[in-house]
Each structure stands twice: as structure tokens, then as C-alpha cells.
């Protein structure tokens, strides 16, 4: 997608948000009264100074500000579309390599759009905003869709999402936003907004292939996430990766062999993800919805105890994952892609753009010739 198309698709998605958000697995008691449409832009960047280059940025991170003032999303268009040389993708079945290669970028666009624009934007926090004042019916509290009983917890004056959920919060929230993407991408009306298909359900068509690639990509990200788990401290080093591992577990538990990890070799060197695309609607999406509902309700009601138990269960790396799968993920890891960034120079009063060849030498030359003031 080029910038203009992306900005247009994101615009249509934000416009459609009031119709899409009620499809999420909670009632209006747990949703903001009014969806705060984010400001968004897709930019081409000349250079990005930092240890890594993100595909998109969503600010601010303070949920209390996001609740009341809204948020802003910036997609970095030429980061999203930067092409890497074609190579066989580990853990994807031979028969899926082609469809995955063909639609992975489109799938990532859909995932990022839903994650950033609707995922982080949706969901209410039940708060006592000042002593005795509530942003929900305190005398008649909403019924939790998980327990079927009125909710008992909420944010007290001065408490915020960050202060209650603490260090676990960022990854938990990333997981909630990723689950929103996985919950909504099987909606063919939404895929049509992104320019895929005609809104009719058709898993064999273009929209269906984008959807299949979305789910496959998430499952694969859950496997490769293990690179970012440290066996010594038994801790996760990257919030998004921890989130994707949780979602892989949700897929694996969806039943009816919706998603399985196949292998015949004891060292898992031939491990492949088998994901049944005909069961995304019947098994994958409902499993995501049930998990997402818990993430949302525990967040909305400041229920740290339940949220912590759920998230720790799903992100716990068991013996098989730590001892067997992680070493295989490391063995098959490809060197991380680097971006070769251009520089500008003043020559005879004119700004000149200098680009570099896509090689390690090119990248080093680009750094050497960049002057930091
Ligand atoms: Zn996010």
C-alpha cells in the first residue's frame, strides 16, 4: 500500500469505528461513551535515529490521557514497505510459503491498522474519578460477562491503569490490542475497508488469503517470540513478543486441531505451524474473543489479581518451550534486518539526497557520512 492508500484506508477504518467496536466481546458498559478518533498520518521518513526503527508510533502511553484527550498514530510508510530479499520462512509449511510470502505485508497492514487505531483506542476504565464521583453507575454496577455477576472492583481516585497494573501493564495492553486485531480481521467488511474482497465471506479469495496470512503471521510470531525470552531470569524482554506468545497459546487451545505445531524430529528441526483456515471463524476467532474479553474486563475493573493470574498463565514458558522449541527458534533465526538510511547534503546551496547500496557496507557508509550536531 502506498501512503495515500494507507491514509485513506485508515481514515475509513476510523470512520467505521463506531460500527466495528460493538463487535468486540463486551457490552457498552465497558466501552467509552464516544470513540475518540485518533489523529493519524502515514509519513515517509528520511531517517530515524535510534537503536531500532518502528513501523508505527502511538502516543501518548499514559492511559488516563488517552481516556480523556485521545491519542495520535503515526505510521512510517517506507518502513512498512521496505522490502527484504525473498527467503524461505521458517516454521511455515511448504504449501503455505507462497500465500504467506504474497500476503504477509498486506496482513501486517491490516493487523497494525486494527491494533493501533481500534485496539489501543477501545475499552473503558471504570473509575471513581474523584471521591464519590463515578464514570459508571456505582449503585447498579455493570454485570461482568465473565462471571455474570455485578463487578466489584474499579479504579479509585488517583489510581491509573499504569499505577494498578505496573510493570505487567505494557505487555498486557499490547496483547489486548493484538487480540482486537485478531478478533476483527476475520470480518470481511473490515477487510473490504482495507481494499480486500467485496465484503462477502470467502476464505479462498484475496480477502480470505489476507485473513489467513494474519492468523499465520501471529502464530509464527508467537513461536519466534521465544528469542526474546531469557532462560536465566525466566523473563520476557519485549512486551509485544510476550503478547504474541500468549496469543499463540490461545490458538493452540482453540480446539478441533485449529492450530497445532507439527514435527517428526526430536530436535524440532522440522517444526511447522498447521493452522486450519476453514476454522478461523468457528474456532480461532471465538477463542481469541473469550481471551480478549477477560483481558478487557480485568483491565476495565482494575482487577489486578485476576489479570495477573491470566496473563502469567498464558505467557509462562513451560519446559518444552524453553528446552526444546527455543533452541530451535534460535538455530533458525535469520540475522535481523537493518535499514540503510539516506542522508542529505548541502551542495552549492541545494539539498542533495544521497542513498546507499543495500549491503552492510552501505549501511556503515550511511552512518559514517551522517553528521550529528
Ligand atoms: Zn501497541
Amino acid at each position: 500500500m502506498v501512503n495515500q492508500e494507507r491514509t485513506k484506508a485508515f481514515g475509513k477504518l476510523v470512520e467505521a469505528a463506531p460500527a466495528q467496536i460493538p463487535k468486540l466481546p463486551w457490552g457498552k458498559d465497558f466501552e467509552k461513551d464516544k470513540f475518540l478518533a485518533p489523529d493519524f498520518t502515514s509519513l515517509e521518513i528520511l531517517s530515524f535515529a535510534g537503536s531500532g526503527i518502528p513501523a508505527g508510533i502511538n502516543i501518548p502511553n499514559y492511559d488516563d490521557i488517552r481516556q480523556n484527550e485521545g491519542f495520535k498514530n503515526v505510521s512510517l510508510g517506507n518502513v512498512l514497505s521496505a522490502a527484504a530479499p525473498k527467503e524461505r520462512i521458517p516454521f511455515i509449511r511448504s504449501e503455505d510459503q507462497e500465500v504467506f510470502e504474497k500476503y504477509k505485508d498486506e496482513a501486517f497492514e491490516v493487523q497494525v491498522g486494527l491494533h493501533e487505531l481500534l485496539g489501543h483506542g477501545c475499552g473503558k476504565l471504570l473509575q471513581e474519578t474523584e471521591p464519590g464521583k463515578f464514570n459508571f453507575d456505582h449503585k447498579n454496577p455493570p454485570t461482568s460477562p465473565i462471571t455474570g455477576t455485578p463487578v466489584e472492583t474499579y479504579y479509585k481516585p488517583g489510581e491509573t491503569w499504569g499505577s494498578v497494573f505496573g510493570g505487567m501493564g505494557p505487555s498486557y495492553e499490547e496483547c489486548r490490542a493484538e487480540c482486537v486485531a485478531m478478533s476483527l480481521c476475520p470480518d470481511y467488511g473490515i477487510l473490504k475497508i482495507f481494499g480486500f474482497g467485496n465484503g462477502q465471506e470467502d476464505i479462498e479469495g484475496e480477502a480470505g488469503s489476507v485473513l489467513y496470512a494474519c492468523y499465520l503471521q501471529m502464530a509464527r510470531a508467537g513461536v519466534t517470540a521465544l528469542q526474546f525470552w531469557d532462560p536465566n531470569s525466566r523473563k520476557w524482554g519485549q512486551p509485544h513478543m510476550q503478547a504474541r506468545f500468549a496469543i499463540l497459546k490461545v490458538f493452540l487451545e482453540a480446539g478441533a486441531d485449529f492450530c497445532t505445531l507439527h514435527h517428526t524430529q526430536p530436535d524440532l528441526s522440522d517444526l511447522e505451524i498447521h493452522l486450519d483456515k476453514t476454522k478461523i471463524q468457528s474456532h480461532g476467532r471465538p477463542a481469541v474473543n473469550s481471551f480478549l474479553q477477560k483481558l478487557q474486563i480485568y483491565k476495565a475493573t482494575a482487577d489486578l489479581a485476576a489479570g495477573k493470574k491470566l496473563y502469567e498463565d498464558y505467557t509462562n514458558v513451560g519446559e518444552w518451550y524453553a528446552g526444546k522449541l527455543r533452541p530451535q527458534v534460535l538455530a533458525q533465526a535469520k540475522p535481523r534486518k537493518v535499514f540503510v538510511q539516506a542522508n542529505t547534503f548541502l551542495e552549492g546551496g541545494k539539498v542533495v539526497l544521497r542513498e546507499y547500496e543495500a549491503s552492510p557496507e552501505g549501511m556503515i557508509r550511511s552512518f559514517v557520512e551522517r553528521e550529528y550536531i
Side-chain angles (χ1 to χ4, degrees), residues 258-290:
F258 165 63
C259 180
T260 51
L261 301 177
H262 269 248
H263 64 91
T264 56
Q265 301 300 321
D267 67 352
L268 311 189
S269 54
D270 62 344
L271 184 128
E272 292 174 337
I273 298 161
H274 287 208
L275 196 140
D276 187 342
K277 63 182 175 185
T278 66
K279 291 178 183 158
I280 294 176
Q281 301 289 359
S282 60
H283 293 82
R285 189 183 196 183
V288 167
N289 276 344
S290 131

PDB file of all heavy atoms in Angstrom, residues 258-290:
ATOM      1  N   PHE A 258      -7.469 -26.674  15.457  1.00  0.00           N
ATOM      2  CA  PHE A 258      -7.420 -25.404  14.727  1.00  0.00           C
ATOM      3  C   PHE A 258      -5.969 -25.016  14.445  1.00  0.00           C
ATOM      4  O   PHE A 258      -5.600 -24.673  13.333  1.00  0.00           O
ATOM      5  CB  PHE A 258      -8.122 -24.297  15.525  1.00  0.00           C
ATOM      6  CG  PHE A 258      -7.800 -22.915  15.028  1.00  0.00           C
ATOM      7  CD1 PHE A 258      -8.156 -22.535  13.749  1.00  0.00           C
ATOM      8  CD2 PHE A 258      -7.112 -22.004  15.830  1.00  0.00           C
ATOM      9  CE1 PHE A 258      -7.837 -21.265  13.268  1.00  0.00           C
ATOM     10  CE2 PHE A 258      -6.792 -20.738  15.354  1.00  0.00           C
ATOM     11  CZ  PHE A 258      -7.153 -20.362  14.068  1.00  0.00           C
ATOM     12  N   CYS A 259      -5.136 -25.108  15.469  1.00  0.00           N
ATOM     13  CA  CYS A 259      -3.719 -24.764  15.301  1.00  0.00           C
ATOM     14  C   CYS A 259      -2.881 -25.772  16.065  1.00  0.00           C
ATOM     15  O   CYS A 259      -3.132 -26.022  17.250  1.00  0.00           O
ATOM     16  CB  CYS A 259      -3.492 -23.343  15.833  1.00  0.00           C
ATOM     17  SG  CYS A 259      -1.780 -22.793  15.700  1.00  0.00           S
ATOM     18  N   THR A 260      -1.919 -26.371  15.366  1.00  0.00           N
ATOM     19  CA  THR A 260      -1.037 -27.337  16.021  1.00  0.00           C
ATOM     20  C   THR A 260       0.402 -27.100  15.553  1.00  0.00           C
ATOM     21  O   THR A 260       0.625 -26.513  14.495  1.00  0.00           O
ATOM     22  CB  THR A 260      -1.434 -28.800  15.668  1.00  0.00           C
ATOM     23  OG1 THR A 260      -1.532 -28.900  14.256  1.00  0.00           O
ATOM     24  CG2 THR A 260      -2.760 -29.197  16.285  1.00  0.00           C
ATOM     25  N   LEU A 261       1.345 -27.563  16.367  1.00  0.00           N
ATOM     26  CA  LEU A 261       2.759 -27.467  15.994  1.00  0.00           C
ATOM     27  C   LEU A 261       3.236 -28.880  15.665  1.00  0.00           C
ATOM     28  O   LEU A 261       3.348 -29.715  16.556  1.00  0.00           O
ATOM     29  CB  LEU A 261       3.570 -26.857  17.150  1.00  0.00           C
ATOM     30  CG  LEU A 261       3.129 -25.456  17.604  1.00  0.00           C
ATOM     31  CD1 LEU A 261       3.960 -24.990  18.808  1.00  0.00           C
ATOM     32  CD2 LEU A 261       3.228 -24.444  16.473  1.00  0.00           C
ATOM     33  N   HIS A 262       3.449 -29.139  14.372  1.00  0.00           N
ATOM     34  CA  HIS A 262       3.798 -30.481  13.905  1.00  0.00           C
ATOM     35  C   HIS A 262       5.298 -30.666  13.804  1.00  0.00           C
ATOM     36  O   HIS A 262       5.981 -29.768  13.334  1.00  0.00           O
ATOM     37  CB  HIS A 262       3.252 -30.686  12.491  1.00  0.00           C
ATOM     38  CG  HIS A 262       1.890 -31.265  12.503  1.00  0.00           C
ATOM     39  ND1 HIS A 262       1.612 -32.521  12.067  1.00  0.00           N
ATOM     40  CD2 HIS A 262       0.731 -30.740  12.938  1.00  0.00           C
ATOM     41  CE1 HIS A 262       0.327 -32.754  12.211  1.00  0.00           C
ATOM     42  NE2 HIS A 262      -0.244 -31.684  12.740  1.00  0.00           N
ATOM     43  N   HIS A 263       5.774 -31.853  14.199  1.00  0.00           N
ATOM     44  CA  HIS A 263       7.183 -32.164  13.959  1.00  0.00           C
ATOM     45  C   HIS A 263       7.361 -33.663  14.038  1.00  0.00           C
ATOM     46  O   HIS A 263       6.559 -34.362  14.680  1.00  0.00           O
ATOM     47  CB  HIS A 263       8.081 -31.461  14.984  1.00  0.00           C
ATOM     48  CG  HIS A 263       7.838 -31.924  16.376  1.00  0.00           C
ATOM     49  ND1 HIS A 263       8.533 -32.956  16.945  1.00  0.00           N
ATOM     50  CD2 HIS A 263       6.939 -31.525  17.302  1.00  0.00           C
ATOM     51  CE1 HIS A 263       8.082 -33.157  18.183  1.00  0.00           C
ATOM     52  NE2 HIS A 263       7.116 -32.308  18.407  1.00  0.00           N
ATOM     53  N   THR A 264       8.404 -34.167  13.348  1.00  0.00           N
ATOM     54  CA  THR A 264       8.721 -35.589  13.474  1.00  0.00           C
ATOM     55  C   THR A 264      10.104 -35.755  14.109  1.00  0.00           C
ATOM     56  O   THR A 264      10.407 -36.783  14.678  1.00  0.00           O
ATOM     57  CB  THR A 264       8.716 -36.289  12.089  1.00  0.00           C
ATOM     58  OG1 THR A 264       9.647 -35.585  11.255  1.00  0.00           O
ATOM     59  CG2 THR A 264       7.332 -36.264  11.444  1.00  0.00           C
ATOM     60  N   GLN A 265      10.949 -34.733  14.005  1.00  0.00           N
ATOM     61  CA  GLN A 265      12.311 -34.827  14.542  1.00  0.00           C
ATOM     62  C   GLN A 265      12.328 -34.467  16.035  1.00  0.00           C
ATOM     63  O   GLN A 265      11.667 -33.507  16.438  1.00  0.00           O
ATOM     64  CB  GLN A 265      13.237 -33.845  13.808  1.00  0.00           C
ATOM     65  CG  GLN A 265      13.333 -34.074  12.312  1.00  0.00           C
ATOM     66  CD  GLN A 265      13.863 -35.452  11.991  1.00  0.00           C
ATOM     67  OE1 GLN A 265      14.767 -35.957  12.660  1.00  0.00           O
ATOM     68  NE2 GLN A 265      13.286 -36.100  10.990  1.00  0.00           N
ATOM     69  N   PRO A 266      13.092 -35.227  16.819  1.00  0.00           N
ATOM     70  CA  PRO A 266      13.132 -34.927  18.264  1.00  0.00           C
ATOM     71  C   PRO A 266      13.692 -33.532  18.565  1.00  0.00           C
ATOM     72  O   PRO A 266      13.343 -32.932  19.585  1.00  0.00           O
ATOM     73  CB  PRO A 266      14.054 -36.009  18.849  1.00  0.00           C
ATOM     74  CG  PRO A 266      14.416 -36.914  17.744  1.00  0.00           C
ATOM     75  CD  PRO A 266      13.883 -36.399  16.447  1.00  0.00           C
ATOM     76  N   ASP A 267      14.559 -33.003  17.672  1.00  0.00           N
ATOM     77  CA  ASP A 267      15.104 -31.665  17.949  1.00  0.00           C
ATOM     78  C   ASP A 267      14.210 -30.550  17.372  1.00  0.00           C
ATOM     79  O   ASP A 267      14.588 -29.376  17.397  1.00  0.00           O
ATOM     80  CB  ASP A 267      16.532 -31.535  17.382  1.00  0.00           C
ATOM     81  CG  ASP A 267      16.547 -31.568  15.855  1.00  0.00           C
ATOM     82  OD1 ASP A 267      15.486 -31.846  15.241  1.00  0.00           O
ATOM     83  OD2 ASP A 267      17.625 -31.332  15.283  1.00  0.00           O
ATOM     84  N   LEU A 268      13.039 -30.938  16.866  1.00  0.00           N
ATOM     85  CA  LEU A 268      12.041 -29.985  16.321  1.00  0.00           C
ATOM     86  C   LEU A 268      12.540 -29.229  15.088  1.00  0.00           C
ATOM     87  O   LEU A 268      11.983 -28.198  14.735  1.00  0.00           O
ATOM     88  CB  LEU A 268      11.582 -28.955  17.377  1.00  0.00           C
ATOM     89  CG  LEU A 268      11.155 -29.443  18.752  1.00  0.00           C
ATOM     90  CD1 LEU A 268      10.538 -28.280  19.529  1.00  0.00           C
ATOM     91  CD2 LEU A 268      10.173 -30.586  18.668  1.00  0.00           C
ATOM     92  N   SER A 269      13.589 -29.779  14.421  1.00  0.00           N
ATOM     93  CA  SER A 269      14.145 -29.033  13.289  1.00  0.00           C
ATOM     94  C   SER A 269      13.174 -28.961  12.119  1.00  0.00           C
ATOM     95  O   SER A 269      13.336 -28.141  11.227  1.00  0.00           O
ATOM     96  CB  SER A 269      15.476 -29.647  12.838  1.00  0.00           C
ATOM     97  OG  SER A 269      15.284 -31.023  12.581  1.00  0.00           O
ATOM     98  N   ASP A 270      12.141 -29.836  12.108  1.00  0.00           N
ATOM     99  CA  ASP A 270      11.161 -29.754  11.018  1.00  0.00           C
ATOM    100  C   ASP A 270       9.818 -29.217  11.513  1.00  0.00           C
ATOM    101  O   ASP A 270       8.778 -29.473  10.920  1.00  0.00           O
ATOM    102  CB  ASP A 270      10.976 -31.129  10.367  1.00  0.00           C
ATOM    103  CG  ASP A 270      10.433 -32.166  11.345  1.00  0.00           C
ATOM    104  OD1 ASP A 270      10.474 -31.924  12.578  1.00  0.00           O
ATOM    105  OD2 ASP A 270       9.946 -33.220  10.895  1.00  0.00           O
ATOM    106  N   LEU A 271       9.853 -28.486  12.614  1.00  0.00           N
ATOM    107  CA  LEU A 271       8.586 -27.994  13.185  1.00  0.00           C
ATOM    108  C   LEU A 271       7.877 -27.030  12.230  1.00  0.00           C
ATOM    109  O   LEU A 271       8.484 -26.141  11.649  1.00  0.00           O
ATOM    110  CB  LEU A 271       8.841 -27.302  14.523  1.00  0.00           C
ATOM    111  CG  LEU A 271       7.557 -26.846  15.232  1.00  0.00           C
ATOM    112  CD1 LEU A 271       7.509 -27.346  16.675  1.00  0.00           C
ATOM    113  CD2 LEU A 271       7.408 -25.339  15.203  1.00  0.00           C
ATOM    114  N   GLU A 272       6.572 -27.268  12.082  1.00  0.00           N
ATOM    115  CA  GLU A 272       5.742 -26.420  11.217  1.00  0.00           C
ATOM    116  C   GLU A 272       4.444 -26.072  11.931  1.00  0.00           C
ATOM    117  O   GLU A 272       3.906 -26.885  12.685  1.00  0.00           O
ATOM    118  CB  GLU A 272       5.305 -27.185   9.974  1.00  0.00           C
ATOM    119  CG  GLU A 272       6.359 -27.536   8.989  1.00  0.00           C
ATOM    120  CD  GLU A 272       5.778 -28.430   7.878  1.00  0.00           C
ATOM    121  OE1 GLU A 272       4.749 -29.108   8.085  1.00  0.00           O
ATOM    122  OE2 GLU A 272       6.390 -28.439   6.820  1.00  0.00           O
ATOM    123  N   ILE A 273       3.958 -24.889  11.623  1.00  0.00           N
ATOM    124  CA  ILE A 273       2.661 -24.479  12.164  1.00  0.00           C
ATOM    125  C   ILE A 273       1.575 -24.966  11.217  1.00  0.00           C
ATOM    126  O   ILE A 273       1.604 -24.650  10.022  1.00  0.00           O
ATOM    127  CB  ILE A 273       2.595 -22.937  12.276  1.00  0.00           C
ATOM    128  CG1 ILE A 273       3.667 -22.437  13.238  1.00  0.00           C
ATOM    129  CG2 ILE A 273       1.205 -22.488  12.708  1.00  0.00           C
ATOM    130  CD1 ILE A 273       4.003 -20.972  13.077  1.00  0.00           C
ATOM    131  N   HIS A 274       0.652 -25.757  11.737  1.00  0.00           N
ATOM    132  CA  HIS A 274      -0.514 -26.151  10.941  1.00  0.00           C
ATOM    133  C   HIS A 274      -1.699 -25.370  11.472  1.00  0.00           C
ATOM    134  O   HIS A 274      -2.088 -25.532  12.629  1.00  0.00           O
ATOM    135  CB  HIS A 274      -0.791 -27.654  11.088  1.00  0.00           C
ATOM    136  CG  HIS A 274       0.202 -28.512  10.370  1.00  0.00           C
ATOM    137  ND1 HIS A 274      -0.086 -29.755   9.886  1.00  0.00           N
ATOM    138  CD2 HIS A 274       1.507 -28.281  10.046  1.00  0.00           C
ATOM    139  CE1 HIS A 274       0.988 -30.268   9.294  1.00  0.00           C
ATOM    140  NE2 HIS A 274       1.969 -29.394   9.396  1.00  0.00           N
ATOM    141  N   LEU A 275      -2.234 -24.499  10.635  1.00  0.00           N
ATOM    142  CA  LEU A 275      -3.375 -23.688  11.062  1.00  0.00           C
ATOM    143  C   LEU A 275      -4.489 -23.914  10.035  1.00  0.00           C
ATOM    144  O   LEU A 275      -4.265 -23.765   8.835  1.00  0.00           O
ATOM    145  CB  LEU A 275      -2.951 -22.229  11.124  1.00  0.00           C
ATOM    146  CG  LEU A 275      -3.862 -21.279  11.885  1.00  0.00           C
ATOM    147  CD1 LEU A 275      -3.027 -20.285  12.683  1.00  0.00           C
ATOM    148  CD2 LEU A 275      -4.784 -20.504  10.970  1.00  0.00           C
ATOM    149  N   ASP A 276      -5.636 -24.343  10.516  1.00  0.00           N
ATOM    150  CA  ASP A 276      -6.734 -24.686   9.614  1.00  0.00           C
ATOM    151  C   ASP A 276      -7.545 -23.429   9.310  1.00  0.00           C
ATOM    152  O   ASP A 276      -8.314 -22.946  10.139  1.00  0.00           O
ATOM    153  CB  ASP A 276      -7.608 -25.754  10.281  1.00  0.00           C
ATOM    154  CG  ASP A 276      -8.668 -26.283   9.335  1.00  0.00           C
ATOM    155  OD1 ASP A 276      -8.950 -25.608   8.318  1.00  0.00           O
ATOM    156  OD2 ASP A 276      -9.214 -27.362   9.630  1.00  0.00           O
ATOM    157  N   LYS A 277      -7.366 -22.916   8.068  1.00  0.00           N
ATOM    158  CA  LYS A 277      -8.005 -21.637   7.739  1.00  0.00           C
ATOM    159  C   LYS A 277      -9.527 -21.739   7.707  1.00  0.00           C
ATOM    160  O   LYS A 277     -10.210 -20.735   7.883  1.00  0.00           O
ATOM    161  CB  LYS A 277      -7.469 -21.089   6.413  1.00  0.00           C
ATOM    162  CG  LYS A 277      -7.744 -21.940   5.203  1.00  0.00           C
ATOM    163  CD  LYS A 277      -7.121 -21.294   3.969  1.00  0.00           C
ATOM    164  CE  LYS A 277      -7.283 -22.201   2.764  1.00  0.00           C
ATOM    165  NZ  LYS A 277      -6.621 -21.691   1.584  1.00  0.00           N
ATOM    166  N   THR A 278     -10.035 -22.968   7.512  1.00  0.00           N
ATOM    167  CA  THR A 278     -11.503 -23.110   7.472  1.00  0.00           C
ATOM    168  C   THR A 278     -12.110 -23.058   8.880  1.00  0.00           C
ATOM    169  O   THR A 278     -13.321 -23.045   9.032  1.00  0.00           O
ATOM    170  CB  THR A 278     -11.938 -24.431   6.796  1.00  0.00           C
ATOM    171  OG1 THR A 278     -11.511 -25.513   7.639  1.00  0.00           O
ATOM    172  CG2 THR A 278     -11.330 -24.577   5.411  1.00  0.00           C
ATOM    173  N   LYS A 279     -11.230 -23.032   9.889  1.00  0.00           N
ATOM    174  CA  LYS A 279     -11.754 -22.983  11.274  1.00  0.00           C
ATOM    175  C   LYS A 279     -11.453 -21.657  11.975  1.00  0.00           C
ATOM    176  O   LYS A 279     -11.604 -21.557  13.191  1.00  0.00           O
ATOM    177  CB  LYS A 279     -11.185 -24.153  12.084  1.00  0.00           C
ATOM    178  CG  LYS A 279     -11.733 -25.491  11.624  1.00  0.00           C
ATOM    179  CD  LYS A 279     -11.129 -26.651  12.391  1.00  0.00           C
ATOM    180  CE  LYS A 279     -11.663 -27.976  11.836  1.00  0.00           C
ATOM    181  NZ  LYS A 279     -10.772 -29.100  12.163  1.00  0.00           N
ATOM    182  N   ILE A 280     -11.019 -20.642  11.188  1.00  0.00           N
ATOM    183  CA  ILE A 280     -10.751 -19.344  11.824  1.00  0.00           C
ATOM    184  C   ILE A 280     -12.055 -18.790  12.412  1.00  0.00           C
ATOM    185  O   ILE A 280     -12.095 -18.361  13.567  1.00  0.00           O
ATOM    186  CB  ILE A 280     -10.115 -18.342  10.827  1.00  0.00           C
ATOM    187  CG1 ILE A 280      -8.715 -18.819  10.423  1.00  0.00           C
ATOM    188  CG2 ILE A 280     -10.036 -16.934  11.448  1.00  0.00           C
ATOM    189  CD1 ILE A 280      -8.021 -17.961   9.368  1.00  0.00           C
ATOM    190  N   GLN A 281     -13.129 -18.816  11.616  1.00  0.00           N
ATOM    191  CA  GLN A 281     -14.404 -18.257  12.104  1.00  0.00           C
ATOM    192  C   GLN A 281     -15.010 -19.098  13.228  1.00  0.00           C
ATOM    193  O   GLN A 281     -15.550 -18.548  14.190  1.00  0.00           O
ATOM    194  CB  GLN A 281     -15.444 -18.160  10.973  1.00  0.00           C
ATOM    195  CG  GLN A 281     -15.036 -17.315   9.788  1.00  0.00           C
ATOM    196  CD  GLN A 281     -14.998 -15.811  10.061  1.00  0.00           C
ATOM    197  OE1 GLN A 281     -15.297 -15.342  11.158  1.00  0.00           O
ATOM    198  NE2 GLN A 281     -14.590 -15.043   9.069  1.00  0.00           N
ATOM    199  N   SER A 282     -14.906 -20.424  13.089  1.00  0.00           N
ATOM    200  CA  SER A 282     -15.609 -21.290  14.050  1.00  0.00           C
ATOM    201  C   SER A 282     -14.816 -21.542  15.325  1.00  0.00           C
ATOM    202  O   SER A 282     -15.401 -21.775  16.378  1.00  0.00           O
ATOM    203  CB  SER A 282     -15.934 -22.632  13.381  1.00  0.00           C
ATOM    204  OG  SER A 282     -14.730 -23.261  12.968  1.00  0.00           O
ATOM    205  N   HIS A 283     -13.479 -21.511  15.264  1.00  0.00           N
ATOM    206  CA  HIS A 283     -12.671 -21.841  16.439  1.00  0.00           C
ATOM    207  C   HIS A 283     -11.675 -20.748  16.825  1.00  0.00           C
ATOM    208  O   HIS A 283     -11.591 -20.376  17.995  1.00  0.00           O
ATOM    209  CB  HIS A 283     -11.926 -23.160  16.225  1.00  0.00           C
ATOM    210  CG  HIS A 283     -12.855 -24.343  16.142  1.00  0.00           C
ATOM    211  ND1 HIS A 283     -13.513 -24.676  14.989  1.00  0.00           N
ATOM    212  CD2 HIS A 283     -13.254 -25.226  17.091  1.00  0.00           C
ATOM    213  CE1 HIS A 283     -14.282 -25.728  15.214  1.00  0.00           C
ATOM    214  NE2 HIS A 283     -14.142 -26.081  16.495  1.00  0.00           N
ATOM    215  N   GLY A 284     -10.916 -20.255  15.840  1.00  0.00           N
ATOM    216  CA  GLY A 284      -9.868 -19.269  16.147  1.00  0.00           C
ATOM    217  C   GLY A 284     -10.433 -17.987  16.734  1.00  0.00           C
ATOM    218  O   GLY A 284     -10.041 -17.554  17.822  1.00  0.00           O
ATOM    219  N   ARG A 285     -11.368 -17.400  16.012  1.00  0.00           N
ATOM    220  CA  ARG A 285     -11.926 -16.127  16.454  1.00  0.00           C
ATOM    221  C   ARG A 285     -12.663 -16.233  17.801  1.00  0.00           C
ATOM    222  O   ARG A 285     -12.426 -15.395  18.681  1.00  0.00           O
ATOM    223  CB  ARG A 285     -12.864 -15.595  15.361  1.00  0.00           C
ATOM    224  CG  ARG A 285     -13.332 -14.192  15.597  1.00  0.00           C
ATOM    225  CD  ARG A 285     -14.310 -13.773  14.503  1.00  0.00           C
ATOM    226  NE  ARG A 285     -14.504 -12.343  14.478  1.00  0.00           N
ATOM    227  CZ  ARG A 285     -15.348 -11.735  13.658  1.00  0.00           C
ATOM    228  NH1 ARG A 285     -16.068 -12.439  12.796  1.00  0.00           N
ATOM    229  NH2 ARG A 285     -15.490 -10.423  13.700  1.00  0.00           N
ATOM    230  N   PRO A 286     -13.494 -17.266  18.001  1.00  0.00           N
ATOM    231  CA  PRO A 286     -14.138 -17.373  19.317  1.00  0.00           C
ATOM    232  C   PRO A 286     -13.134 -17.541  20.471  1.00  0.00           C
ATOM    233  O   PRO A 286     -13.344 -17.014  21.560  1.00  0.00           O
ATOM    234  CB  PRO A 286     -15.026 -18.615  19.191  1.00  0.00           C
ATOM    235  CG  PRO A 286     -15.267 -18.775  17.725  1.00  0.00           C
ATOM    236  CD  PRO A 286     -14.034 -18.251  17.044  1.00  0.00           C
ATOM    237  N   ALA A 287     -12.037 -18.281  20.217  1.00  0.00           N
ATOM    238  CA  ALA A 287     -11.031 -18.462  21.280  1.00  0.00           C
ATOM    239  C   ALA A 287     -10.377 -17.125  21.613  1.00  0.00           C
ATOM    240  O   ALA A 287     -10.166 -16.789  22.789  1.00  0.00           O
ATOM    241  CB  ALA A 287      -9.978 -19.480  20.830  1.00  0.00           C
ATOM    242  N   VAL A 288     -10.071 -16.342  20.563  1.00  0.00           N
ATOM    243  CA  VAL A 288      -9.480 -15.018  20.781  1.00  0.00           C
ATOM    244  C   VAL A 288     -10.473 -14.141  21.552  1.00  0.00           C
ATOM    245  O   VAL A 288     -10.109 -13.461  22.510  1.00  0.00           O
ATOM    246  CB  VAL A 288      -9.105 -14.353  19.431  1.00  0.00           C
ATOM    247  CG1 VAL A 288      -8.791 -12.879  19.615  1.00  0.00           C
ATOM    248  CG2 VAL A 288      -7.932 -15.070  18.788  1.00  0.00           C
ATOM    249  N   ASN A 289     -11.742 -14.187  21.144  1.00  0.00           N
ATOM    250  CA  ASN A 289     -12.746 -13.350  21.791  1.00  0.00           C
ATOM    251  C   ASN A 289     -12.883 -13.662  23.276  1.00  0.00           C
ATOM    252  O   ASN A 289     -13.024 -12.756  24.090  1.00  0.00           O
ATOM    253  CB  ASN A 289     -14.107 -13.512  21.101  1.00  0.00           C
ATOM    254  CG  ASN A 289     -14.214 -12.604  19.894  1.00  0.00           C
ATOM    255  OD1 ASN A 289     -13.430 -11.669  19.730  1.00  0.00           O
ATOM    256  ND2 ASN A 289     -15.181 -12.867  19.036  1.00  0.00           N
ATOM    257  N   SER A 290     -12.843 -14.927  23.608  1.00  0.00           N
ATOM    258  CA  SER A 290     -13.030 -15.268  25.018  1.00  0.00           C
ATOM    259  C   SER A 290     -11.823 -14.792  25.850  1.00  0.00           C
ATOM    260  O   SER A 290     -11.981 -14.290  26.968  1.00  0.00           O
ATOM    261  CB  SER A 290     -13.332 -16.763  25.124  1.00  0.00           C
ATOM    262  OG  SER A 290     -12.545 -17.374  26.062  1.00  0.00           O
TER     263      SER A 290
END
